[in-house]
Amino acid sequence: MRRLLAVLAAGLLTAAATQLPSYAVNQYTTVGNVPKPVACNNHGTIPAGGWLANKSCGYVMGTAIAGTRFDVHTTTPTNFHFGRWRAGDGSNFCAFLVPSALDLGTGSSVADSCSADTSERLSHRRTFGRDFDAAPHTGNGAIIVRINPSACTGYYNYFTDSTYAGGRLHDPAGFALPATGGYRYSTNDLGASMIRVDDASGETIWLFVARSCIAGQLPAGLNNQND
């Protein structure tokens, strides 16, 4: 009898565990014309929406386009938010969002979906990229590349899920690229490269281009150290 009761109790505990709801977090609508994070020694405005990064003051991994959604799991002392960005086309991935990029009057409760393990994994740059312009914690688009604006389009985003193993170019920038840009890194599948350019108003913008647009200009020996 005691053995039967123990088996029944274990079954009830297992059933209860599988039925526990996920921890709830707040989801907000993203905004545009976001101030660049002063904590990272950046100044100016990001017109399209807040930068998405691999950690506070880390590598830019995309832009949370205004009017999309972001689930806030945790917030750092410098007001970077870690959570899931949800693009308009269904793409979504975990990242850090710069401060002041959310409309805090639009909150709604959703299940959590970005773990502490994902945050830790994301903090290492080889998780999402390769062929960096410089060693870890240095460089900032230091390799200048020529751009053919008639053949190359800029996109604010590439990643589509939290494996960061591949993706597709999405969210076109909507302005003609200048003749040169500063190369930062390429995605692990070599589908895209992150570059910095200046828009017509003089704001420095980080965006993706197809790596094929600039591959012939990239030097040998790009940096693949992890951090």
Side-chain angles (χ1 to χ4, degrees), residues 163-215:
T163 66
Y164 316 105
R168 64 178 181 275
L169 293 163
H170 56 110
D171 302 316
F175 61 87
L177 298 181
T180 60
Y183 170 84
R184 187 61 164 133
Y185 67 88
S186 291
T187 56
N188 277 321
D189 65 351
L190 298 180
S193 296
M194 175 65 77
I195 63 171
R196 59 171 172 79
V197 299
D198 290 340
D199 68 7
S201 67
E203 289 287 357
T204 296
I205 307 295
W206 287 99
L207 44 73
F208 288 102
V209 295
R211 182 179 163 108
S212 58
C213 283
I214 60 170

Side-chain angles (χ1 to χ4, degrees), residues 26-35 49-52 64-75 79-86 95-108:
N26 288 324
Q27 182 184 88
Y28 301 96
T29 301
T30 57
V31 300
N33 295 314
V34 178
W51 284 331
L52 296 160
I65 303 299
T68 55
R69 307 289 287 179
F70 189 88
D71 307 348
V72 176
H73 289 57
T74 59
T75 300
N79 289 320
F80 277 77
H81 305 295
F82 174 67
R84 184 173 297 277
W85 176 58
R86 301 182 183 276
F96 284 79
L97 178 64
V98 297
S100 304
L102 299 172
D103 180 351
L104 297 180
T106 61
S108 59

Side-chain angles (χ1 to χ4, degrees), residues 19-208:
Q19 293 171 16
L20 284 174
S22 297
Y23 181 73
V25 299
N26 288 324
Q27 182 184 88
Y28 301 96
T29 301
T30 57
V31 300
N33 295 314
V34 178
K36 293 178 181 176
V38 176
C40 311
N41 199 29
N42 286 301
H43 304 279
T45 303
I46 316 166
W51 284 331
L52 296 160
N54 72 313
K55 56 187 173 183
S56 298
C57 298
Y59 292 87
V60 176
M61 297 176 61
T63 301
I65 303 299
T68 55
R69 307 289 287 179
F70 189 88
D71 307 348
V72 176
H73 289 57
T74 59
T75 300
T76 71
T78 53
N79 289 320
F80 277 77
H81 305 295
F82 174 67
R84 184 173 297 277
W85 176 58
R86 301 182 183 276
D89 67 353
S91 305
N92 63 88
F93 59 91
C94 301
F96 284 79
L97 178 64
V98 297
S100 304
L102 299 172
D103 180 351
L104 297 180
T106 61
S108 59
S109 183
V110 297
D112 73 319
S113 59
C114 291
S115 67
D117 287 345
T118 298
S119 176
E120 196 284 329
R121 178 169 58 90
L122 187 57
S123 69
H124 304 292
R125 67 182 193 168
R126 284 306 313 274
T127 297
F128 61 88
R130 58 175 294 171
D131 294 349
F132 290 84
D133 62 331
H137 314 298
T138 62
N140 193 30
I143 298 173
I144 303 303
V145 293
R146 295 183 305 279
I147 301 169
N148 180 353
S150 65
C152 295
T153 300
Y155 295 84
Y156 287 115
N157 290 294
Y158 184 77
F159 299 109
T160 55
D161 60 47
S162 294
T163 66
Y164 316 105
R168 64 178 181 275
L169 293 163
H170 56 110
D171 302 316
F175 61 87
L177 298 181
T180 60
Y183 170 84
R184 187 61 164 133
Y185 67 88
S186 291
T187 56
N188 277 321
D189 65 351
L190 298 180
S193 296
M194 175 65 77
I195 63 171
R196 59 171 172 79
V197 299
D198 290 340
D199 68 7
S201 67
E203 289 287 357
T204 296
I205 307 295
W206 287 99
L207 44 73
F208 288 102

Side-chain angles (χ1 to χ4, degrees), residues 5-19:
L5 290 173
V7 169
L8 289 172
L12 288 171
L13 287 172
T14 301
T18 58
Q19 293 171 16

